Amino acid sequence: MRVILRRLGVYAFTAWVTITVNFILPRLMPGNPFDQIAAKLTGVVTAQELQAIKIQLGGDINQPMIEQYWHYLNQLAHFNLGVSITLSSPVSTILAGQIWWTVGLIGVAAVLSFLIGTVLGVVFGWMRGSRADNVIPVATFLQSVPYYFLGTVLIMAFASHWHFFPLENAYDLSITPGWHWDFISSLLRHSELPILSIVLSSLAGWMLGMRNMMVTIAGEDFVLMAVAKGLPRRRVIWHAARSAILPSIANFTLAIGLLVSGSLLVEQIFNYPGVGNLILEAVGGEDYPLIQGIFLLITFTVLGASFLADILYYVLDPRIRTATAH
Amino acid sequence: MRSLQIPKSPKVISGVVILGVFIVLTVIGPWIAPYSPNTNRFSTSQMPSWHHLLGTTLLGQDVFSQLLVGCRETMVVGFVAGFIATVLSIVVGLAAGYIGGKTDEGLSLLSNVFLAIPGLPLMIVINSYLPPGKQANPLVIGVVISLTGWAWGARVLRAQTMSLRDRDFVEAARIIGESRRRIMFGEIGPNLLPVLASSLLFTILYAVGLFTTLAFLGLTPLSTWNWGTMLYWSNTQNAAIAGQWWWVGPPGIAIALVGTSLALINFGIDEFINPRLRAGGLSARQRRKVGMSRRPHLGFTPVRRVSATKPTGSN
Amino acid sequence: MTLEHNILDVQDFCVDYGYGESAVRAVSDVSFTLGASRVLGVAGESGSGKSTLVYGLTRLLRAPGVISDGEVTFTIGAEGDQRAFDLLAATEQDLRAIRWSHISIVLQSALSALNPMRRIGREFDEVLRTHDKNSSKESRHERAIELLAMVGLDADRLDRFPHELSGGQRQRIMIAMALALRPELVIMDEPTTALDVVTQREIVSELYELRRQLGFAMIFITHDLSLLVELADEIMVMYAGHIVERAAATDLYHAPRHPYTLGLMNSFPPLHGERKELSGIPGTPPDLKSLPAGCSFSPRCAYAMDICHSSKPPLVPVDETGRLAACWLHDPSHSHSVPVELARKHVRGVEAQ
Ligand SMILES: Nc1ncnc2c1ncn2[C@@H]1O[C@H](COP(=O)(O)OP(=O)(O)O)[C@@H](O)[C@H]1O
Ligand SMILES: [Mg+2]
């Protein structure tokens, strides 16, 4: 349990660093973005909201820094992320509306690619030395293809040649959203291609990592012992795979950051609603409150996912789990 | 100390060759480009031909020239960022692993923080605060990328240093009274080389990826060329929907090839670090050459009676 | 003494590492037989090919190991109802059926031989279930407890992970597991080498006791000859992949015939009895890629003659008891007198000088 608490401490600290960076960055930059924004916003938002944005962006330079900081934290604690300049509504409301698209898309894609990649890695690791090794160069190439490029290629293939998949949006905009089959099937159809691009780009990484680990673990005595015990092949592979999966989970923190970053662009390519699409609009419109809000949201989501991976690791590795128990 | 012989497998060789080609292009690319990447005096959206090896863009620019010119910026930023990040990870990782104690805790915490914050959103935020109209020069972006990309290498190096720290030869150096710095750089350093090389490759890979992504988003100066800006232009001008594969494809494939070459070289380093990836790893082709029809299955040792040609050692 | 059949019959067994041009021979022309319920000790320095031999016999050798010649016949069953298996011709399926229920193996490092992710109980359960699909979970659990009791461990060890146990406990668990299916042959590859001397001695005497009760045949590998005298009926000494001497355990121990055996004995203190000065063997084992001409041991041998550097000695009987050694010293046509320390007489039960 101590291990988990320690990790939690690290993530809490990271969250604090992220928040603080968010606070300091605008204040570090030359010039003052606030003045431009204030000009744009006068009359659009209430004075109180303006004040919140001001704090966030370092506009209220009359207050001492520490007080600004305190105020900023206070606002955050109440989920007050300011008001979007381009969309003229509270950032927290906008994000609440968009986050589920992103979490849904990336979540499903990440789980799929992890599962498929891991299983393939186990199989190819076990079949090392057979013709299946030819998959390595292909996978290495696939692993190196940027997510957004793969998305583009898929669009190109399916737009100009085969019309299998819808290429834009999360659902057919002529259908009213709701709990009925038309909408749900449209939703699924529209997510196929984005999910395919994310899965294809991230799959190879899991697969190659898992293959390497399988080959390594297959060299351990206990796997040979499993054979010596006359266990069927399936069980021998399971002995090895169970240990080999741990490094994959340990690398999850690193991988999830790359995956989320890549997926944000996939949203953009497929014009899929969600945070990724939003961040680019926000950058285009110099919508600082929105940019900051999104940054915090993404970082916290990644931290949350990493923490889940840590818990999973803890559950799966008895050496850590029992380290303090006995 | 082990000799630093990286296995010369076909994978490593092809990786080195591909990377070598791109490094050469980094140097000579802008010189051998047939046209200026900006010239838009050609007929628009042409398929590849002898005049335009990779066709032309919607604006009538030569894609092949853009690819050659864009190689330099892409590679230089990637390598510069990769090197800086690796230097940072050496300093942090070695210090944390060797000194240990409070230093280690502090530095590990720092690495964990940087590891957890996703790089792309952070870069977007930093970029958005740069004064309007004053987009950073690509090298500055490279430096910022390196600040977000050192943590993984530091973690790996720390672990390796810690395992080396307690080995005999380091102990021996300590006993004969070598200074801490001598031990760190003279004894531990060379043994870290393979891990270091692998971390360098990955950091370059990461930097090339992040830089081209930022460029793809139009967040790097559009006045100069790299593969990311090429993709930016093709994307904003809907080249994919229009099916202009000769415009969309080359920069993306080039990025992927650079990544592939780095990963292929890393296979060799992996095999060096972890002998199990190599031992008994007879490829299907090598196996056929010695006349084995079946790959060895774990725990079912093959029997091949070849008494006619007795191998060495049997006298 | 009843006439027992041979459980294992090995003829001209050869193992190579590598394929084609790059192959090196790690086990050369090894032949021996092992009677049911007998114990064969295999001794030799590290790297002499002991593990390669037994992994090869059981077809467990990893790539790039290849069995390059020989015959291995494994025979089980009572008289009149015997089944013989050609282990080198056996299919994967045949081998799976034979493994563990008839031949089990214990490795040097129990820590690495146990799956770190699993509780001990689950390992027992798995192996018992695999070979008896119809058994109930309770019966398997009971059998596991019974097996642990045989090696002097409490039932609560079943809930532990390998890393929570001491080295001695882990090795006892491996031994218990090896006996789980009452196999006819148990192979032990340096099972005590990683343990401290006290635990080593305890485990050896436990093994002695277990063997007396259960009567399984055993191949016991060690580089410590003194351990073997207590356990083995017969001892084989290996050097550079060859058998250099083979004799009844006490004969070999008290009256070695090969200079290498003599050197090996001087490398370890006897488990019981007075301590002698340990002299060891000068030099290092040869590189299999470039074995010296003639007798592989000749460069390190204090008694080497000219012929030893040019011609390989065959493994032949060296006295009327039929004990074997591969050394030119015992061939009268090449050597006029045998050094006294290699010509001791040993009368069973009496320690003769
Ligand atoms: N995978 C391998 N590839 C090549 N040579 C090997 C391999 N494994 C063992 N050997 C060689 O085979 C010889 C016998 O090794 P081994 O059977 O492990 O000896 P022992 O068990 O007696 O210590 C050694 O010289 C060793 O160098
Ligand atoms: Mg051995």
Side-chain angles (χ1 to χ4, degrees), chain B residues 270-287:
Chain B
D270 268 355
E271 285 177 11
F272 177 77
I273 297 175
N274 178 356
R276 275 188 197 157
L277 293 175
R278 160 173 42 129
L282 205 59
S283 74
R285 187 175 336 132
Q286 287 168 308
R287 216 175 58 228

Side-chain angles (χ1 to χ4, degrees), chain C residues 280-294:
Chain C
I281 310 169
T284 50
D287 179 5
L288 293 176
K289 282 196 201 76
S290 52
L291 284 182

